[in-house]
Amino acid sequence: SNYVNESKSDLDIDWPDVFRHAHAVSKTNPFWNELSASNPFVHDIAASNRNENNKNLSILKEKPYLFSKVSSNSDSLASSGDELDIDCLLRKTSARRSGRSKSVSDFMDIVDNQRFNPRKTIPQKTVASDMTWLQSDREAYKVAWLSHRQLTRSCLDLEAMSHSPGWAQTQATDIHVVCKMNHEGGSVQLPDSDINIHVPVGHVLPGEFQEVGLKAILNPPSSFNNELSSTISPLIELTLSNLNTREAIFLEVKVAAKVKNDPLSQVMSDIVCLFSFNKEGPFKKLENCYTYQDTIQVKLTDLSHVMYAVIAVQAKKIQPPATNVWDYVHRTVSVGIYGPKYIHPSFTAVFTVFGHNYIPGKLTICDIKKGGKNMPPVVFQLWGKHTFLLEKPQDLNISLVSCDPDFEVKMEDQSKNIKEEELKTGEMVRQQFLFSMLGCREMHFFVFLVQIKVLKSSQVTQFHVTTPDPAPKLSGVINRPKHLQNRKEIKSAPWLLIPTVKYPKFQDKTLSVNTYGVALKTVLRQNKIDYLLEYFKGDTIALLGEDKVKAIGQTKIKEWYVGVLRRKIGLVHCKNIKVISKEQAMDTTDSELTTRNLVEQIALPFKKLTYIYSVVLSTVSESVYDWRALAEVLRYSHMSLDNFNEAHADKESERVAHVVKRMKEDCHANKKKRLFLYELIVALLKIDCQGLVARLTQDTIILTSAVKLGKYWRELAEKLARLTKQQIEAYEVPHRGKNGVVSLEMMWKPAYDFLYTWAAHYGDSYRDVLQDLQSALDKMKNPVTKHWRELTGTLILVNCMEVLRASAFSKMEEEE
């Protein structure tokens, strides 16, 4: 009761007087209106500034003693300074301060009087990994608390943010994963990484618990990066709450290198795990290690509350012609492109090289400059990443090229170098590139090309990155091209499937059709045209949907329905039929088709489309979530987990990739009868992966169109996007040879860059991409679509997806 009385007297404040003072301050603070409007704690004050009739509104208006309630968990200690117990804060107030105001010193008094209790439950994600050292060091805690507050400025509105690009996008990012488990054990994986801890059954006694924490420190110890040693993982911090253990634990890490197969490399080098109880060392080499290719598993028997481990490749000695340890291994380099959450008229993108394959989703950038001045630390988002093989450390040249004529990279930032010595350190290496918008056009996301050149060789690695959207206040009414404003919403499958536990079972049965067409004339062609139906007057044709397709016929562009006649799918000219309902159709025998025949026919274009196998493999393995379902439709139902080696058995994506690779090998061995991409698309349609099929369709059509167009892509670019000659040249510059021109065999590359950029503006509206590309190609002087009809075939495919799903995956039969 004494506590309640003390709290009441402490909080019995003249709130109107406080707000009158705040109101006076608001008149002299030029930022008050913008900032306070988005801060829930001073929102009423801001409102009073705008409305003289509501001067004394307050969040405490009706409950002035809101904060004096007694907490039921008063002895708990949260994981950051933000979350200290408010009840405890009020109770332990220093005599010189009222409950109205608290300083960092007051928080220190609280921390001094509390001790960390390991039996308390810790949140699954914590900001500070080791609270004990902070509690014993008042100054360290003060710095940590202030740093956390500086990185957590979130009560700001977008209007204010839009005036200062990058501002208000900061947040605390030093987050690691913590998992609590009982005597049955389990596994903990650091998010977005291949770093795992496996806790066996019986690690702790029944009734006891173990809390396992994992954290990756991006810059490993520099002492292990020299001619004889190179780190190939981040520095891993492992924390345990309970040391009363009976079983060891296992650390498993997929690293950025594997030893070459030649005898000298196998003898002279080894992948090792270095272990310490302190971040600064000393580190010792652990013996209980098992390495398979690029994965190492380490048995940890000597346990502590806090431990550190790093994986390195080490050489016994360097024997010529080798010059350092890199010569004994296949070493991969990972790069990440980071940028702000939203793009602005002027923004910075950061190219980052990692000495390991852990690429975090967020990165704190401390050296951003604006107007010659250093900006506060900013948390940037990962926009794109890439991994490539680098046989030895050497100088790299990095260039970023905008594929969109509305944006450019600042001239002095277009090309930058990373030195060999920087790569040898094993630490992160960053280069900043400043982008700016040209003119006063509408803001929109865009695509840029990242090119990495090895200066001493001809090796070139490149990949595309798509920026995020503009800040909401800057994006205007729409982000997509204006000709899409009035398009109806696409009703078929989304761009990417949401992971599902169980895929529906494909049912081979007759299609359910609601609309038919009666042929008003006979159409027979002397020169057969792929994907166009032939029919006699009076034929009843089943129509697979009401949507129309625009495509060139023999000579003219026409509108077509997708129809079925005599077990063949194709296009029928809209003017040549009379549309009737199912009830009006007299005889539909000739227009019947099974779902199996439908799938096999609509996938036919993929027999002639160009694709990049590695892209298809990665896309499918990341988007299919049940390897058994895929194996069954590919006629590999006999496969079991015993068919996978250890490298493929860990992740579902690796199992899916193994199935796809197996099918690729079988198709390659029987080229005359089997086609890889065609069989893969048929299989994906049979497990209802329509979003994935749509993505693969768009990717392969863009690539094949670029190859078919060659030098004529310039004409298409003028028609499709009204590019000027200067803008067209900008696409060709990265692909010019030593003679300053793009060779004919390389002309598909700028064509692909343009089409990729153009298609990205459509978002997930893949039907619109295919239809608009078809229309633009049809209108060229010498249309490639007159003899290359596969684009038309894919339009038939995407227009049949709804009827396929409705017929082949009946919900009623699934429930039965």
Side-chain angles (χ1 to χ4, degrees), residues 105-116:
S105 299
D106 295 324
F107 287 118
M108 299 314 307
D109 291 339
I110 298 168
V111 173
D112 282 348
N113 292 323
Q114 290 185 336
R115 307 314 306 165
F116 179 66

Side-chain angles (χ1 to χ4, degrees), residues 13 15 46 48 62 64 205 246 322 488 557 570 595 639 643 732:
I13 300 165
W15 290 107
S48 70
E62 296 183 8
L205 293 170
R246 292 192 167 190
K488 68 177 182 179
I557 299 172
T595 51
M639 289 182 69
N643 295 106
E732 295 186 351

Side-chain angles (χ1 to χ4, degrees), residues 147 150-151 169-175 218-219 338-339 350 352 354 360-368 375-382 428 430 432:
S147 298
Q150 184 182 22
L151 288 173
Q169 297 175 15
T170 57
Q171 55 190 301
T173 59
D174 192 13
I175 296 174
L218 297 177
N219 283 334
Y338 292 86
V350 179
T352 309
F354 297 93
K362 295 179 181 179
L363 191 66
T364 303
I365 310 294
C366 302
D367 53 356
I368 297 289
M375 300 288 286
V378 179
V379 173
F380 271 12
Q381 318 289 318
L382 179 64
M428 278 190 301
R430 296 198 297 253
Q432 297 178 16

Side-chain angles (χ1 to χ4, degrees), residues 383-624:
W383 286 0
K385 59 184 178 180
H386 191 73
T387 302
F388 65 98
L389 190 68
L390 189 64
E391 290 297 342
K392 59 181 179 180
Q394 47 196 314
D395 294 350
L396 302 177
N397 175 261
I398 316 301
S399 59
L400 269 60
V401 181
S402 172
C403 299
D404 192 306
D406 293 346
F407 293 85
E408 70 173 4
V409 183
K410 194 175 179 181
M411 186 63 69
E412 56 267 31
D413 288 346
Q414 286 181 358
S415 179
K416 295 190 175 183
N417 292 333
I418 292 177
K419 297 293 184 184
E420 174 185 329
E421 289 72 23
E422 293 178 287
L423 294 177
K424 285 182 178 180
T425 65
E427 296 184 355
M428 278 190 301
V429 183
R430 296 198 297 253
Q431 291 288 359
Q432 297 178 16
F433 295 82
L434 181 64
F435 282 81
S436 58
M437 188 176 182
L438 300 174
C440 301
R441 303 177 187 180
E442 183 185 8
M443 282 288 294
H444 57 80
F445 70 88
F446 65 98
V447 179
F448 60 87
L449 176 72
V450 181
Q451 197 168 62
I452 306 165
K453 295 180 181 177
V454 180
L455 293 179
K456 293 180 181 178
S457 71
S458 58
Q459 182 183 349
V460 178
T461 300
Q462 60 184 30
F463 61 101
H464 290 87
V465 175
T466 303
T467 71
D469 290 322
K473 290 287 183 179
L474 297 175
S475 60
V477 180
I478 56 168
N479 288 330
R480 291 167 58 192
K482 291 182 179 179
H483 65 275
L484 294 181
Q485 287 185 64
N486 299 321
R487 291 278 175 94
K488 68 177 182 179
E489 185 181 352
I490 303 299
K491 295 180 181 177
S492 54
W495 180 263
L496 286 176
L497 284 173
I498 298 171
T500 54
V501 177
K502 183 181 178 182
Y503 286 95
K505 190 168 181 63
F506 180 79
Q507 300 157 29
D508 184 15
K509 60 181 186 179
T510 304
L511 282 179
S512 176
V513 179
N514 297 319
T515 310
Y516 291 84
V518 177
L520 302 176
K521 59 187 286 188
T522 298
V523 175
L524 297 172
R525 299 180 183 88
Q526 189 172 358
N527 297 319
K528 307 297 182 186
I529 300 177
D530 291 340
Y531 307 109
L532 299 188
L533 282 181
E534 295 184 333
Y535 41 88
F536 296 100
K537 184 176 180 179
D539 278 341
T540 302
I541 304 169
L543 303 183
L544 305 183
E546 300 177 5
D547 290 335
K548 298 174 182 177
V549 173
K550 283 186 180 179
I552 196 167
Q554 214 149 5
T555 54
K556 296 180 181 179
I557 299 172
K558 300 175 181 178
E559 287 191 334
W560 313 79
Y561 286 118
V562 179
V564 177
L565 182 63
R566 286 180 276 278
R567 297 181 183 177
K568 185 178 180 182
I569 301 172
L571 299 180
V572 54
H573 188 197
C574 295
K575 291 184 178 180
N576 290 349
I577 61 169
K578 179 184 178 182
V579 178
I580 60 174
S581 66
K582 183 178 182 180
E583 292 73 23
Q584 292 173 305
M586 298 292 291
D587 183 9
T588 60
T589 307
D590 284 347
S591 55
E592 288 182 354
L593 193 74
T594 65
T595 51
R596 182 176 61 83
N597 288 334
L598 174 66
V599 167
E600 291 171 353
Q601 284 196 54
I602 61 177
L604 285 174
F606 290 93
K607 288 188 173 183
K608 298 180 181 179
L609 290 178
T610 305
Y611 64 97
I612 300 173
Y613 171 66
S614 59
V615 174
V616 172
L617 178 64
S618 61
T619 304
V620 174
S621 60
E622 290 167 6
S623 305
V624 175

